[in-house]
Amino acid sequence: VLNENVTTWTGSGDFRDMLNRETSKGLKLRGQYPSFFRVGLLGMHADSFDGANGYKTIVSLHANDISGTFNPLGIALRRWELDDLHIKSGSVMLQKTEATPEANKGPSPIPWCALFWPYRVHLADVKVDDANILWQLRGKESGIYDTFLEITPNGRDFEYDAHGGAFKTPITPHLEVRHAHVLIRKPRLYCSEFLLGDDAAHPEQQLRVEGDAGLQEDRSIKLKVDANSLNVSPWMPEKLGAHVIGHASGHFEYASSGTGLETSAGHGNITIANGILRGLAPVRHYIAITGSPDPGDLALKVCQADVRWQEGAMTVENMKMECKGVFRLEGAITIAKDQTLSGNIELGLTDAYLAWLPTARQTIFTRDEGPYHFTTIHLSGTAQKPEQDLSGRMAKEVEKSPLIALKLFFNQAGEWFNVE
């Protein structure tokens, strides 16, 4: 008789309404189960759950093929407890949240039926075979796709553990999700590990993130990022991707009092191993016009820099780059909050790449160190349209020698018409 009564109640519209209400309240959205029925003695199944119009972190949610098991002991705690909840596939869209009136209404009053019959739903463990966790970044859909997600209670809070899938955003290359572990313990979110990789055949190539973020009035963020042997090419702008090769490693620390970059500060360092500059247009043009030896691929003996940023401004300092026997570069570059560019670069070239302009060593490249002759390049303009003063100084030296100017003219013409 009890089993028949339970079946009747769980199959009723009132029970489904209660599930819709409690699930929607927990997720802070409006959602519903189109159908819900028992399977066997303690099993349950719902074809799907759809939620929309979320007013907190979750904007919308869709789950397919939901099954689980009732724990009858939960009735003693006046709740419907669902153990081993299994979801075949699901997708959730997240958003940046602000304080809302709904969040300050306080707890809902307990209905009179709670004295005799469970009225809440408690999820003991949730597994999603194929989950999409999405958000908007720069106006484009971004997130973690096709990951296995497990959600388990931690006291009154929840832990999220994900394995596999892909991480895609408009500001990063596509990366594989190796592991993500997050604990949401209000008022903060704690990420003990977010591990990404760029090559399944090389597990040592990875990007590791850990930190915490405020979810309520305090919106501060603290992050630590460690990169180990990541492929550089996919991180480059599209026009440079095929011309810059190497593996990047480094450590970065980021902190902010809010969610905007204008409140952030941080520092870090980066080193490129096995770096190669291949077929860069400025190098090709310089070789073709000046008649200097073609160095081929520029293998970088050293490539490293420190990075710091403060309230939207970024400085790359202690920069060092060297291709042995060709050039060495040192210095610092600053991009201000308004994208204004400034900085000084010490550029050193060897004799072979200055021989075409004999006076350059006396007037421009006046500092000698080892095989290199150095000059200081002053940067200006913006990050989108950088400017430098070296070209103007070189042009003035060329004007002093009509023969050199004529030679450069014909070299330039040959470059235009692809004449060897």
Side-chain angles (χ1 to χ4, degrees):
V1 175
L2 177 61
N3 187 51
E4 292 178 358
N5 290 337
V6 171
T7 299
T8 301
W9 167 243
T10 56
S12 69
D14 290 341
F15 183 75
R16 187 167 64 252
D17 290 344
M18 183 272 291
L19 279 180
N20 291 339
R21 181 184 67 250
E22 292 301 316
T23 305
S24 299
K25 183 165 58 178
L27 297 173
K28 306 297 188 296
L29 47 68
R30 294 181 181 178
Q32 62 178 358
Y33 298 90
S35 62
F36 184 91
F37 50 88
R38 293 182 66 193
V39 177
L41 181 61
L42 299 175
M44 54 76 65
H45 184 270
D47 291 331
S48 63
F49 175 83
D50 290 285
N53 300 321
Y55 61 88
K56 293 295 287 184
T57 303
I58 298 177
V59 179
S60 62
L61 183 147
H62 179 74
N64 293 310
D65 196 356
I66 307 167
S67 59
T69 304
F70 282 114
N71 182 353
L73 297 178
I75 295 177
L77 300 175
R78 293 185 300 182
R79 68 191 187 195
W80 295 102
E81 182 169 318
L82 298 177
D83 294 340
D84 301 321
L85 191 67
H86 183 267
I87 300 173
K88 190 68 175 177
S89 63
S91 181
V92 58
M93 177 64 72
L94 308 178
Q95 68 178 347
K96 176 182 175 182
T97 61
E98 302 292 347
T100 59
E102 292 87 342
N104 299 319
K105 288 183 177 180
S108 302
I110 298 176
W112 65 269
C113 65
L115 299 175
F116 312 100
W117 195 248
Y119 79 105
R120 292 191 183 277
V121 176
H122 176 80
L123 304 180
D125 183 76
V126 180
K127 293 183 176 68
V128 186
D129 290 341
D130 188 355
N132 295 329
I133 306 165
L134 312 175
W135 56 86
Q136 290 289 320
L137 183 62
R138 293 187 177 178
K140 296 183 179 180
E141 183 182 280
S142 307
I144 300 173
Y145 294 80
D146 305 317
T147 190
F148 173 80
L149 177 64
E150 183 173 9
I151 306 170
T152 54
N154 184 310
R156 299 185 64 181
D157 305 302
F158 289 92
E159 293 190 54
Y160 301 79
D161 203 75
H163 293 270
F167 180 78
K168 304 176 185 179
T169 79
I171 62 174
T172 64
H174 292 186
L175 298 167
E176 61 184 46
V177 178
R178 293 178 177 169
H179 181 228
H181 186 86
V182 173
L183 168 64
I184 297 181
R185 190 183 298 281
K186 290 183 179 179
R188 296 193 72 78
L189 176 152
Y190 299 89
C191 176
S192 60
E193 181 176 74
F194 186 27
L195 186 60
L196 302 169
D198 65 3
D199 188 345
H202 296 278
E204 74 282 359
Q205 296 178 198
Q206 61 186 22
L207 183 69
R208 183 186 298 271
V209 182
E210 63 176 273
D212 56 273
L215 299 174
Q216 296 179 350
E217 290 80 7
D218 177 8
R219 294 304 181 91
S220 63
I221 301 172
K222 295 179 181 178
L223 293 176
K224 291 182 180 180
V225 181
D226 287 284
N228 184 45
S229 197
L230 288 176
N231 283 309
V232 172
S233 298
W235 294 85
M236 292 288 106
E238 186 175 353
K239 292 182 179 180
L240 286 177
H243 303 286
V244 182
I245 302 170
H247 292 87
S249 299
H251 174 79
F252 305 90
E253 296 188 12
Y254 173 97
S256 69
S257 58
T259 57
L261 290 176
E262 65 277 3
T263 68
S264 69
H267 60 89
N269 59 78
I270 185 169
T271 299
I272 308 271
N274 304 316
I276 295 176
L277 304 179
R278 176 174 293 166
L280 288 175
V283 176
R284 293 201 315 268
H285 292 161
Y286 186 87
I287 299 303
I289 293 171
T290 66
S292 299
D294 186 353
D297 291 346
L298 298 174
L300 300 180
K301 177 184 176 182
V302 177
C303 186
Q304 63 188 50
D306 296 331
V307 182
R308 57 183 173 88
W309 55 93
Q310 180 78 37
E311 299 179 351
M314 183 177 71
T315 297
V316 180
E317 56 192 359
N318 300 321
M319 184 167 50
K320 297 180 181 180
M321 184 183 300
E322 180 181 3
C323 176
K324 190 174 181 179
V326 181
F327 76 89
R328 193 165 84 195
L329 181 150
E330 301 172 351
I333 301 173
T334 296
I335 302 176
K337 184 178 180 180
D338 63 358
Q339 297 296 293
T340 301
L341 184 68
S342 62
N344 294 323
I345 298 295
E346 298 293 320
L347 174 64
L349 295 176
T350 57
D351 288 330
Y353 297 92
L354 291 174
W356 66 275
L357 186 59
T359 60
R361 287 186 55 186
Q362 289 74 43
T363 59
I364 300 176
F365 292 82
T366 57
R367 181 171 66 86
D368 296 339
E369 185 177 326
Y372 300 103
H373 310 290
F374 283 90
T375 188
T376 301
I377 303 175
H378 303 283
L379 303 178
S380 58
T382 66
Q384 291 73 30
K385 293 183 178 181
E387 298 178 3
Q388 44 77 27
D389 66 344
L390 178 60
S391 297
R393 288 184 285 153
M394 297 287 280
K396 288 182 179 179
E397 285 302 307
V398 170
E399 290 174 358
K400 296 178 182 179
S401 175
L403 292 178
I404 291 177
L406 186 63
K407 177 182 177 181
L408 292 180
F409 170 79
F410 284 111
N411 286 347
Q412 179 70 70
E415 175 72 3
W416 288 340
F417 294 103
N418 291 321
V419 176
E420 295 293 332

